[in-house]
């Protein structure tokens, strides 16, 4: 079975998850946005949270939408304002996940993701979901992926 991890990482939590899944024989596809968030921490949080709240879809750099050869797709997203990140909103718009085994891995500062969880349950009811609390600070959170 071919497995693919598609993810966005702003602070490195997603990169840590990608390293972990690469050891489990996942192919890795990291998302890059055409327009980065502000470098200022407060502006970055406000901008990212607002984009997530309005379900904004960022423009991506060279995103390969071909997932035909994969049996299992795992989507990794930071949680912004309790929601999926805006780059992952774009990914979900571009990909046809209907006949795929899908899993979501969310990395959240609080370990909670109420709106993201609600969205996934509503739109991807067949998908599994794991919420990690800041895996960079809490490496034991990666055990939830076993």
């Amino acid at each position: 079975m071919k497995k693919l991890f598609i993810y966005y990482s702003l602070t490195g939590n997603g990169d840590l998850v990608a390293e972990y899944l690469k050891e489990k024989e996942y192919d890795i596809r990291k998302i890059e946005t055409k327009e980065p968030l502000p470098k200022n921490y407060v502006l970055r949080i406000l901008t990212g949270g607002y984009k997530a709240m309005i379900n904004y879809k960022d423009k991506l750099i060279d995103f390969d939408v071909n997932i035909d050869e994969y049996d299992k797709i795992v989507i990794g997203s930071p949680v912004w304002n309790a929601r999926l990140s805006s780059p992952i909103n774009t990914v979900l718009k571009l990909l046809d996940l209907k006949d795929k085994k899908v899993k979501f891995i969310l990395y959240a500062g609080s370990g909670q993701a109420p709106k993201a969880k609600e969205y996934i349950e509503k739109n991807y009811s067949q998908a599994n979901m794991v919420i990690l609390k800041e895996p960079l600070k809490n490496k034991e959170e990666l055990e939830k992926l076993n």
Side-chain angles (χ1 to χ4, degrees), residues 108-124:
S110 67
Q112 307 284 317
K115 302 273 186 194
K117 186 176 178 184
E118 181 181 303
Y119 176 84
I120 291 166
E121 289 171 348
K122 179 181 175 189
N123 294 289
Y124 300 93

Side-chain angles (χ1 to χ4, degrees), residues 85-130:
S85 65
S86 52
I88 293 302
N89 290 338
T90 306
V91 168
L92 295 175
K93 179 183 173 199
L94 294 173
L95 295 181
D96 179 6
L97 298 171
K98 267 185 266 174
D99 297 321
K100 300 290 182 185
K101 185 175 180 182
V102 180
K103 180 176 186 172
F104 287 84
I105 299 174
L106 309 178
Y107 12 101
S110 67
Q112 307 284 317
K115 302 273 186 194
K117 186 176 178 184
E118 181 181 303
Y119 176 84
I120 291 166
E121 289 171 348
K122 179 181 175 189
N123 294 289
Y124 300 93
S125 59
Q126 82 286 7
N128 292 321
M129 181 180 2
V130 176

Side-chain angles (χ1 to χ4, degrees), residues 63-94:
F63 179 66
D64 181 2
V65 296
N66 185 3
I67 58 171
D68 293 342
E69 66 183 284
Y70 295 98
D71 304 299
K72 182 176 184 180
I73 308 293
V74 178
I75 308 287
S77 178
V79 175
W80 294 349
N81 197 10
R83 295 164 174 84
L84 297 173
S85 65
S86 52
I88 293 302
N89 290 338
T90 306
V91 168
L92 295 175
K93 179 183 173 199
L94 294 173

Side-chain angles (χ1 to χ4, degrees), residues 3-142:
K3 305 174 284 188
L4 176 63
F5 180 51
I6 301 170
Y7 77 104
Y8 178 75
S9 183
L10 181 62
T11 60
N13 286 298
D15 296 321
L16 182 66
V17 172
E19 289 173 24
Y20 181 85
L21 292 178
K22 190 170 186 173
E23 292 176 8
K24 305 261 185 223
E25 300 183 1
Y26 279 76
D27 288 343
I28 305 297
R29 205 176 283 174
K30 184 175 182 177
I31 303 305
E32 301 283 340
T33 59
K34 287 190 177 183
E35 187 175 309
L37 288 171
K39 292 196 184 294
N40 177 282
Y41 179 75
V42 173
L43 286 176
R44 186 173 59 214
I45 288 182
L46 291 173
T47 303
Y50 178 73
K51 284 180 165 186
M53 184 180 73
I54 64 168
N55 199 28
Y56 185 81
K57 286 141 189 95
D58 282 293
K59 291 185 171 90
L60 306 179
I61 298 172
D62 299 328
F63 179 66
D64 181 2
V65 296
N66 185 3
I67 58 171
D68 293 342
E69 66 183 284
Y70 295 98
D71 304 299
K72 182 176 184 180
I73 308 293
V74 178
I75 308 287
S77 178
V79 175
W80 294 349
N81 197 10
R83 295 164 174 84
L84 297 173
S85 65
S86 52
I88 293 302
N89 290 338
T90 306
V91 168
L92 295 175
K93 179 183 173 199
L94 294 173
L95 295 181
D96 179 6
L97 298 171
K98 267 185 266 174
D99 297 321
K100 300 290 182 185
K101 185 175 180 182
V102 180
K103 180 176 186 172
F104 287 84
I105 299 174
L106 309 178
Y107 12 101
S110 67
Q112 307 284 317
K115 302 273 186 194
K117 186 176 178 184
E118 181 181 303
Y119 176 84
I120 291 166
E121 289 171 348
K122 179 181 175 189
N123 294 289
Y124 300 93
S125 59
Q126 82 286 7
N128 292 321
M129 181 180 2
V130 176
I131 302 171
L132 307 176
K133 182 177 180 174
E134 294 187 77
L136 273 176
K137 292 180 183 174
N138 306 294
K139 298 218 182 340
E140 68 278 3
E141 287 287 294
L142 294 174

